Amino acid sequence: MDSSKRSGKRLPAAAASAAATAARWNDRHNPIEKAKHWLWVIVRTVLVTGICFVILYPILTKLSIALRDKQDMFDATVVWLPRHLTLENIQTVMDYLRYPEAVTNTLLLSIGTSLLQLVSCALAGYGFARLRFRGSGLLFGIVIFTIVVPPQTIMVPTYLHYRFFDVFGLYGLFTGSKGVNLLESFWPFFISSGLAMGLKNGLYIFIFRQFFRSLPKDLEEAAYVDGAGIPGTFVRVMLPNAAPGIATVLLFSFIWQWNDSYFVNLFAPNYTLLARMLDLLPGAVRPEYVGGISHTSLYLNTGILLGIMPIFILYLFAQKYFVESVERTGLVG
C-alpha cells in the first residue's frame, strides 16, 4: 500500500519531466525556433564585436603607430600593419619620459594612497552606515557634495596649506616659523588620503556606506553578544565581508591616482611621475620633419600607449574581481 502510494506520487513527477524534455526537444528541432536562436546568436555576436572594436580601436591605433617607422606615418598604403617595423619610437619616448623611474614613483604613490584611502574611507563609510549620531545625515550630505565640487575651486588654500603645513599652529608656536614645506614630496598625497580628503574620497565613502548598509544586522548583533565592541566588530566581522567593496575602492583609487595630473602638478611639479612627464612630452620632443611635415604625433601616441599599458595589464588580471565587485556594491543596475 505504501509502495503504491509512493509510486503514485512519483508518476506525475516523471510524466512532467518527460513532457518538459519532449517540449525542449520540439523547440530545439522546430525550424522557426532554430531560426530565432541563430538570429539572436548573430545579433549578439555583431553587437559584442562592435562594442569591443569601439573600445579597442584607440589602443590598436596607438600600438600600430608606435611600431611604425617615420616614413610610414605619411604612407597612405599603411593602415594597420607598418611597412617598416621598428621599436625606435618606444625607446626614444621611454628616454624622454625617464620611464623606469616615472613608473616606479607612480606605482609607489598609487599603492600608498590606495591603501590609505581604503582604511580611512572604510572607517568613514562604516560610521555613516551603522553608527547613528546627531547630524550624521547632514555630514554625509557634505561628503556627497565634495564629489561634485571641482578641486580647482580650492586650489589656492590647498596649496598654501601644504606649503606652510602646521597642526593647530603648534609648529609655529614652538619654532616661530610659518610651517613646514611639504611640497615636492608624497606627504600631501598621503596626509589627504589618510584623512579621507584625497582624490575622489567622497565617492569611496559612499561605496562603503552602501555596502555596509546591505549587510545583515545579525552579523553585528552576534558579534556584540560574543563581547566584541565596535572596533572589533568592524575589523573581524564587517571588513572581511566587504571584499567586493574593498576591491572596487582599491581599483578605482589606484587608477585615478595613476592618471592624475592635477594634484601631481600642484604638489610635486618637479617630481618624476608618469602623468607629469606625459604632460611635458609635447614640449620635450623636438619636432623632426619628413617631407616637410612634423611627426611629433608619432611620439605622442607612443607616450600615451606607454602610459596606459601598466593599467591595461592590471585590468587583464583583475577584470573578474572588478566586475564582480562593481555588481555587488550596487554601482550598476
Side-chain angles (χ1 to χ4, degrees):
M1 186 68 180
D2 294 339
S3 62
S4 62
K5 288 183 179 181
R6 287 196 296 268
S7 62
K9 292 180 181 179
R10 287 197 297 266
L11 285 177
S17 177
T21 304
R24 287 195 299 268
W25 188 91
N26 291 330
D27 291 341
R28 190 177 304 170
H29 293 81
N30 189 346
I32 298 178
E33 294 298 330
K34 289 179 65 176
K36 290 181 180 179
H37 170 74
W38 286 109
L39 179 61
W40 167 241
V41 170
I42 294 173
V43 171
R44 182 176 57 187
T45 303
V46 171
L47 286 176
V48 172
T49 304
I51 293 173
C52 292
F53 178 77
V54 170
I55 295 174
L56 296 177
Y57 175 78
I59 299 176
L60 296 177
T61 301
K62 287 172 172 52
L63 179 62
S64 174
I65 294 176
L67 299 178
R68 296 181 188 182
D69 191 72
K70 298 178 180 63
Q71 53 187 329
D72 290 344
M73 285 293 295
F74 310 101
D75 189 348
T77 61
V78 176
V79 180
W80 288 105
L81 299 178
R83 189 180 299 275
H84 304 88
L85 193 65
T86 180
L87 297 177
E88 180 184 354
N89 304 320
I90 297 178
Q91 184 61 48
T92 302
V93 173
M94 289 180 68
D95 294 337
Y96 278 132
L97 297 177
R98 289 185 278 177
Y99 194 69
E101 181 183 359
V103 170
T104 301
N105 291 337
T106 307
L107 186 64
L108 292 175
L109 176 61
S110 300
I111 292 176
T113 55
S114 299
L115 294 177
L116 289 172
Q117 287 174 346
L118 173 66
V119 175
S120 60
C121 294
L123 288 170
Y126 179 72
F128 284 121
R130 295 303 197 188
L131 306 180
R132 296 298 179 182
F133 53 92
R134 180 173 297 181
S136 61
L138 177 61
L139 188 59
F140 182 70
I142 297 175
V143 170
I144 297 300
F145 183 70
T146 62
I147 300 176
V148 298
V149 174
Q152 291 82 1
T153 58
I154 56 174
M155 177 179 65
V156 174
T158 303
Y159 178 85
L160 294 176
H161 177 70
Y162 290 107
R163 173 60 182 84
F164 305 101
F165 184 78
D166 198 352
V167 180
F168 301 117
L170 296 178
Y171 183 84
L173 178 64
F174 290 104
T175 63
S177 60
K178 293 184 178 181
V180 182
N181 182 12
L182 296 182
L183 300 179
E184 296 299 340
S185 67
F186 288 166
W187 281 111
F189 302 97
F190 292 158
I191 291 174
S192 58
S193 299
L195 298 177
M197 290 297 296
L199 183 63
K200 307 291 184 182
N201 278 183
L203 176 61
Y204 306 150
I205 294 174
F206 174 76
I207 291 174
F208 274 119
R209 175 182 179 269
Q210 295 301 106
F211 189 85
F212 285 131
R213 288 186 64 182
S214 66
L215 295 179
K217 293 185 178 181
D218 296 342
L219 295 174
E220 286 180 297
E221 293 174 355
Y224 293 153
V225 170
D226 291 339
I230 293 177
T233 302
F234 171 73
V235 174
R236 299 178 182 179
V237 178
M238 304 300 288
L239 204 58
N241 287 282
I246 292 173
T248 302
V249 170
L250 278 177
L251 287 171
F252 279 166
S253 176
F254 183 89
I255 292 173
W256 265 318
Q257 183 59 61
W258 183 278
N259 296 324
D260 172 61
S261 61
Y262 174 77
F263 287 106
V264 164
N265 288 319
L266 181 65
F267 296 144
N270 296 317
Y271 225 86
T272 306
L273 295 168
L274 191 57
R276 175 181 167 273
M277 300 305 292
L278 286 174
D279 288 343
L280 298 176
L281 184 60
V285 174
R286 292 174 296 178
E288 302 177 14
Y289 295 87
V290 175
I293 304 176
S294 172
H295 63 269
T296 304
S297 61
L298 182 71
Y299 292 145
L300 297 182
N301 282 279
T302 305
I304 295 173
L305 179 67
L306 292 175
I308 65 176
M309 191 56 64
I311 298 298
F312 184 74
I313 295 174
L314 172 66
Y315 181 75
L316 288 179
F317 289 99
Q319 60 175 330
K320 175 183 176 181
Y321 306 100
F322 177 73
V323 173
E324 291 180 353
S325 62
V326 169
E327 289 179 350
R328 293 190 59 182
T329 48
L331 295 181
V332 296

